[in-house]
Amino acid sequence: MIYLDNAATTPVVPAALEAAWPWLTAEFGNPSSTHELGLRAKNALEGARSRIAAWLDCPASDLIFTSGGTEGDNLAITGLAMANPRGKHIISARTEHEAVLETLGFLERVHGFEITWLTVDYHGNIDLAELNSALRSDTTLVTLMLANNEIGTTHPLPQIIEAAHAVGALVHTDAVQAAGWFDLRVGKNGTLVSSVDALTISGHKLGAPKGSGVTYIRGRLAVEPVLHGGGQEFGRRSGTENVAWAAALATAVDALSESDSEALRISALRDEFISQVLTTVPQAVLTGNPVDRHPAIASFTFAGLNGETLLLELEQRGVIVSSGSACAAGSNDPSHVLIACGIVPDIAQASVRFSFSHSTTAEELNVAASALTDAVASVSGLGR
């Protein structure tokens, strides 16, 4: 089996499981308890927080452990919007993940926020001029993802942050798909998203278990909690902390620190794979920005074909991929991302996303490209 659905989830790094195991067994203390077992758990929790903070180049107190990207997006967006009432205006784009879209829908329906949706072009790019025109004195928040999880298009976050901060608005980015591939440092040494106000990470996208995550919220920005209770996580996210998953996430992050150069290697493999597919499969059309895109995502539409059938044909040939966001699995609706890009529903339903890992090889991608050629020919009823 060749697994090329890493944008949906990644295999858990063995070292992360080993790091979690003690805190699932003998070291079962509650980190809020003041006895020895609790203090050991508290020390492990804070040690994990410090390691992740070193990776992000931020104070450890700016990090809140969560259950993953969905909770993190809810916390950052709702928390900042409700606690920093400059006004009730938020800016985003329809190509965001469902966790962002549904959170904004909640704020609009229940709390009367006004959402300005930036348009995107065929490749999923926003227009910075449109963003600047949309910013107002009552804009509380701009939320735009760093790298799209379906088509891979990246947004120019430094320019977005500069424009938003010029009018006093905060900026949140869903960095779930970007973690492990982009420089996410938010301190003075950051080269990509320095000065972002909030950033969301999900552990299972980078080798930690599902149900782990961390959200960065800058400094002591006011945050209205989404979960109310005992005041854990600096009063920003109540609930007994999952020490095991925090330790696993920190260990997965430690493994990433040795893999920074892999983004360049995988980008080269991605480009070769895209070229091979476009050359050998006439029906294939690349989606997303052909240049400014995630190093490990190559997505295509196949006009006239059935996307689900194509996925099954690929799986029969030992290649595991998806048709887009795993969070929308089971829906017969076409990808909301592709629709926002102006792709008609019939073609949007015939989409396939290949997403790679740091261990993906050229040989695997050659096999995958050949399998795709065979699968398309089979679905088209042409044979090969």
Side-chain angles (χ1 to χ4, degrees):
M1 182 182 73
I2 298 176
Y3 181 74
L4 298 177
D5 195 20
N6 291 277
T9 195
T10 57
V12 178
V13 177
L17 287 179
E18 293 173 8
W21 184 247
W23 309 103
L24 293 169
T25 52
E27 297 290 350
F28 55 83
N30 185 321
S32 294
S33 299
T34 57
H35 50 61
E36 183 178 352
L37 277 174
L39 291 175
R40 288 206 296 262
K42 181 69 170 179
N43 287 338
L45 182 72
E46 296 312 319
R49 197 190 311 274
S50 294
R51 288 155 64 191
I52 298 170
W55 173 56
L56 290 175
D57 188 27
C58 70
S61 58
D62 289 358
L63 299 181
I64 304 109
F65 284 113
T66 69
S67 63
T70 295
E71 184 192 339
D73 284 340
N74 275 261
L75 171 62
I77 295 170
T78 300
L80 291 175
M82 296 296 291
N84 297 278
R86 273 170 40 90
K88 288 193 170 184
H89 180 234
I90 300 175
I91 298 173
S92 189
R94 296 284 189 188
T95 48
E96 293 292 305
H97 189 275
E98 290 87 346
V100 171
L101 299 179
E102 292 299 321
T103 301
L104 294 177
F106 162 76
L107 288 172
E108 186 176 40
R109 291 191 315 274
V110 178
H111 294 288
F113 277 78
E114 177 188 354
I115 315 298
T116 293
W117 299 104
L118 301 178
T119 57
V120 297
D121 64 16
Y122 178 80
H123 297 303
N125 303 301
I126 65 164
D127 184 343
L128 286 173
E130 184 185 6
L131 170 65
N132 278 287
S133 296
L135 287 165
R136 309 185 322 212
S137 60
D138 63 340
T139 303
T140 296
L141 182 69
V142 176
T143 176
L144 290 165
M145 59 178 24
L146 176 50
N148 190 273
N149 56 300
E150 292 192 29
I151 61 176
T153 297
T154 59
H155 289 321
L157 270 184
Q159 294 94 318
I160 292 169
I161 294 167
E162 182 180 6
H165 284 180
V167 301
L170 301 176
V171 178
H172 161 258
T173 188
D174 178 332
V176 166
Q177 211 63 68
W181 297 100
F182 293 83
D183 181 355
L184 298 184
R185 291 176 295 169
V186 293
K188 63 182 180 181
N189 296 317
T191 59
L192 186 63
V193 292
S194 178
S195 301
V196 74
D197 300 293
L199 180 148
T200 307
I201 293 171
S202 181
H204 78 99
K205 305 290 187 175
L206 45 77
K210 298 170 186 67
S212 63
V214 68
T215 292
Y216 160 82
I217 297 180
R218 179 175 56 80
R220 300 314 300 165
L221 283 172
V223 178
E224 179 62 38
V226 175
L227 298 178
H228 300 273
Q232 292 90 341
E233 294 299 290
F234 313 107
R236 292 173 162 186
R237 195 267 192 187
S238 291
T240 300
E241 299 95 337
N242 190 331
V243 180
W245 270 202
L249 178 55
T251 301
V253 163
D254 289 343
L256 287 174
S257 65
E258 301 175 359
S259 305
D260 292 342
S261 63
E262 286 298 285
L264 295 175
R265 183 183 73 85
I266 296 299
S267 293
L269 293 182
R270 175 207 64 197
D271 291 344
E272 176 58 31
F273 176 75
I274 289 172
S275 176
Q276 195 171 351
V277 168
L278 295 180
T279 300
T280 59
V281 184
Q283 298 94 326
V285 175
L286 181 70
T287 61
N289 191 302
V291 178
D292 296 325
R293 65 185 300 125
H294 193 291
I297 293 179
S299 56
F300 307 89
T301 57
F302 300 86
L305 303 185
N306 183 289
E308 289 300 316
T309 302
L310 193 53
L311 295 184
L312 292 173
E313 289 287 339
L314 283 167
E315 187 168 358
Q316 289 176 2
R317 290 163 174 79
V319 179
I320 307 299
V321 294
S322 70
S323 59
S325 173
C327 296
S331 171
N332 291 322
D333 295 332
S335 161
H336 73 275
V337 173
L338 297 181
I339 295 299
C341 293
I343 297 174
V344 298
D346 285 348
I347 295 178
Q349 284 184 315
S351 64
V352 176
R353 177 188 65 185
F354 297 80
S355 50
F356 319 136
S357 73
H358 289 287
S359 61
T360 299
T361 66
E363 290 74 18
E364 288 176 323
L365 294 185
N366 286 335
V367 172
S370 179
L372 177 62
T373 302
D374 287 341
V376 169
S378 176
V379 173
S380 301
L382 300 176
R384 188 182 179 188

